Amino acid sequence: MNVLHAFRRHRWGHRAMPVNVTIRAVPDDVHKALLEKARAKGMSLQQYALERLSEAAHEQDSWETLVAISQRLHAEGVRFPERETVVADIRADRDAS
């Protein structure tokens, strides 16, 4: 184990050491809006941006939500008809009209 690795383990334990992120070319109106929101919450822009990034990183997007629901339903034994069956039913309903 090298000295830098040992220092990081001592300082951060088993957690990864934080990294810096730079966002370039932020439009003025976006910067102003973020500053206003940060001030309204009594936070610095750094604190506010980190809070929002953390929230975004840990929230599920719609695809992840659908996959989780599908997996849960599958585990509970719920089965859905095959695509071809659904398409045939829709066509039959359309043709009957």
Side-chain angles (χ1 to χ4, degrees), residues 5-19:
H5 183 71
F7 171 75
R8 287 179 176 169
R9 282 192 65 164
H10 170 73
R11 181 122 199 286
W12 298 104
H14 295 288
R15 296 178 297 143
M17 194 165 124
V19 297

Side-chain angles (χ1 to χ4, degrees), residues 36-75:
E36 289 172 1
K37 290 181 179 198
R39 288 182 183 142
K41 291 184 80 172
M43 302 169 89
S44 68
L45 180 57
Q46 165 73 26
Q47 291 168 320
Y48 182 73
L50 180 57
E51 178 180 86
R52 295 299 305 266
L53 286 170
S54 296
E55 290 169 1
H58 294 100
E59 70 186 14
Q60 284 188 333
D61 64 23
S62 56
W63 178 253
E64 291 169 327
T65 301
L66 288 173
V67 168
I69 291 169
S70 175
Q71 289 172 341
R72 186 171 62 234
L73 291 173
H74 184 75

